[in-house]
Amino acid sequence: MTSFLLWISSEAEELYVLDCMAYFMLFMAVCTFVSLRFENVPYGRYASSKYGFPVNVKLAWFVQELPSLLLPLYLIFSPTSAKTALLPNQLLIAMFVCHYIQRAIVYPFLIRGGKATPFVSFALAFLFCLYNGYMQVRYLSHYADFPPHWVTHPLFILGSALWLVGWLLNLHSDHILRNLRKPGETGYKIPRGGMFEYISGANFLGEITEWAGFALAGWSVQSAAFAIFTAVVLTSRAVAHHKWYLSKFEDYPKNRKALIPFLM
């Protein structure tokens, strides 16, 4: 068994541990929800020196997201990864890896400017990607058993469609944010175009939708825990951004919502 959890002696034990990891992530989602009621995630416009020395934003994004790409690639090519021969497992792993190729390899080097990331935020993001990258892909590559013809099941089809819509929305929203300022310009601008016409957190909605779709298609406690944790963190960011925009810009569109068009 090619497991990083070297103290585990059987597959049954490791599957139990992977389940425990997912339930612990759900517990952390609850803790995070409570803590974010009192403090914004300290990055970008909310960065503070009290959370450690600054790390270059491009370097931070590249390094912190990399475990969610390298670990899956290692696990996929493990000699014991029998489940990677199954189509549902292959497609779910492809969704996960596709996101992190963009997030770790492409996105950091497209960033224009951007505030440095406090070390604590960087370190926590790195640990999360290490933890979640292992949990998701170890489960999918070694243990996930799906019913026959799962790829034609409505849950898999709907989940995959949601993942694709969310991924494209996330890419498009990031593109809009990167191009807010013309060369030489500084300062913050009001995002315009795409879903930003309706909500302040279009990029966050894209990623929440992605992992909600992944959870539906994967139908496991591991994928559900990831989707819920992501929704908790990014909903908080969207609400914080919306409040910040309203306080920063007098002409900010008053009909624009934080995360869900026309509702919230």
Side-chain angles (χ1 to χ4, degrees), residues 16 52 54 57 105 112 118 150 162 164 170 183-184 188 232 253 256 260:
Y16 174 74
V57 65
I105 304 300
R112 298 179 180 178
W150 177 245
L162 281 174
L164 181 60
N170 189 245
Y188 289 98
V232 166
R256 193 177 293 189
I260 302 175

Side-chain angles (χ1 to χ4, degrees), residues 123-140:
L124 289 175
F126 177 86
L127 290 174
F128 177 82
C129 287
L130 188 68
Y131 185 100
N132 188 58
Y134 183 83
M135 180 178 72
Q136 298 300 332
V137 180
R138 183 69 180 182
Y139 175 74
L140 288 171

Side-chain angles (χ1 to χ4, degrees), residues 31 46 56 75 82 93 103 110 133 141-142 151 154 158 172 177 185 204 211 218 235 242-243 250 259 262:
C31 295
Y46 313 113
N56 176 273
L75 293 169
I93 291 171
R103 190 56 78 192
L110 295 177
S141 63
H142 289 72
V151 294
L158 175 60
H172 183 246
L177 291 173
E185 285 188 327
F204 301 134
W211 298 123
T235 297
H242 186 65
K243 290 178 179 177
E250 292 184 1
L259 186 66
F262 313 113

Side-chain angles (χ1 to χ4, degrees), residues 112-114 177-183 185-189:
R112 298 179 180 178
L177 291 173
R178 273 195 304 273
N179 291 279
L180 284 178
R181 292 185 291 267
K182 296 177 181 178
E185 285 188 327
T186 59
Y188 289 98
K189 303 276 187 179

Side-chain angles (χ1 to χ4, degrees), residues 145-178:
D145 278 314
F146 294 98
H149 311 298
W150 177 245
V151 294
T152 61
H153 192 283
L155 284 175
F156 188 88
I157 294 171
L158 175 60
S160 299
L162 281 174
W163 180 88
L164 181 60
V165 168
W167 186 67
L168 293 173
L169 174 58
N170 189 245
L171 291 182
H172 183 246
S173 301
D174 283 344
H175 172 76
I176 290 173
L177 291 173
R178 273 195 304 273

Side-chain angles (χ1 to χ4, degrees), residues 212-262:
F214 179 78
L216 274 179
W219 204 248
S220 68
V221 66
Q222 284 77 19
S223 59
F226 181 28
I228 291 169
F229 189 92
T230 299
V232 166
V233 173
L234 297 188
T235 297
S236 172
R237 291 186 186 181
V239 171
H241 276 31
H242 186 65
K243 290 178 179 177
W244 185 89
Y245 280 126
L246 287 171
S247 65
K248 177 77 173 178
F249 298 101
E250 292 184 1
D251 59 339
Y252 195 72
K254 297 300 185 289
N255 61 335
R256 193 177 293 189
K257 301 298 184 181
L259 186 66
I260 302 175
F262 313 113

